[in-house]
Amino acid sequence: DHAADESVPYARFRIARAIYSQVSDTILLPPQEERDQGACLDAYRELSAFVLDYPTGKWSKEARFMLMMVTSRLVRHELYVGRYYLDRDKFDPALKRVQFALATYEGSGLEPEAMVLLGEIYLKMKRTEQAKEVLHQVLAAYPSSAFAPVAERFLAEAKPKPE
């Protein structure tokens, strides 16, 4: 409670790390992206606040790593749910999930994958121009990504077919 106390950063880091440890991986449970994300969200909030408050602190490097791990899990979950809706031809919820992931969790490292999924959703919604725009963005911003060839394939599908 005392901001001037030199033990506060350490205590906050320990709290963040304890919350992070609640995010578990085990072969006995379904994959992380299929499970409830409550623990991940709690860890994301706490780690984000810690990194914001102590950007150059003693534990900031470890906190950034944990934050990166939690962020990628949250994005993977959103993409998983987006694909679930897409597979059932529920385009609007799929679109909202992917847009939410891109807007909320910047810097997750999963942007190329999310953007390609967004392009695929747009194609299935017959919003070809929006699909082309986002797929071209993938190729421009992430040319060496594993998703660049997928983006190229979707762009080829988006071209009008000769009669």
Side-chain angles (χ1 to χ4, degrees):
D1 288 341
H2 296 74
D5 188 339
E6 61 190 40
S7 300
V8 170
Y10 176 70
R12 288 208 33 217
F13 174 73
R14 293 293 301 218
I15 290 168
R17 195 164 75 183
I19 294 170
Y20 175 80
S21 71
Q22 299 294 314
V23 180
S24 64
D25 276 331
T26 176
I27 60 171
L28 302 176
L29 294 173
Q32 180 67 32
E33 63 267 11
E34 295 178 22
R35 291 188 257 153
D36 175 59
Q37 299 301 306
C40 271
L41 282 169
D42 291 343
Y44 178 81
R45 279 188 218 100
E46 194 65 37
L47 288 163
S48 294
F50 181 83
V51 167
L52 185 64
D53 292 346
Y54 307 103
T56 59
K58 185 175 181 179
W59 301 281
S60 65
K61 186 176 180 181
E62 188 176 350
R64 284 188 207 301
F65 174 77
M66 291 186 290
L67 180 59
M68 181 186 70
M69 298 301 292
V70 167
T71 303
S72 69
R73 286 174 185 243
L74 291 169
V75 172
R76 288 213 180 280
H77 173 73
E78 295 300 326
L79 299 182
Y80 170 80
V81 175
R83 283 189 192 96
Y84 173 87
Y85 285 127
L86 181 62
D87 290 344
R88 285 150 184 81
D89 294 333
K90 300 199 180 294
F91 304 126
D92 285 331
L95 183 66
K96 283 181 174 49
R97 285 298 188 136
V98 176
Q99 288 173 330
F100 174 80
L102 285 167
T104 307
Y105 304 114
E106 292 181 39
S108 69
L110 299 171
E111 288 83 4
E113 181 179 356
M115 292 171 73
V116 167
L117 181 57
L118 187 62
E120 181 181 2
I121 294 166
Y122 282 140
L123 283 174
K124 290 195 175 185
M125 294 175 83
K126 309 274 191 255
R127 292 164 66 174
T128 308
E129 290 308 311
Q130 287 175 298
K132 286 180 183 179
E133 183 180 328
V134 75
L135 293 168
H136 280 298
Q137 287 175 1
V138 171
L139 295 175
Y142 309 100
S144 61
S145 164
F147 290 92
V150 181
E152 289 173 344
R153 193 174 71 239
F154 280 134
L155 280 169
E157 285 180 27
K159 287 183 181 173
K161 301 195 183 2
E163 293 182 28

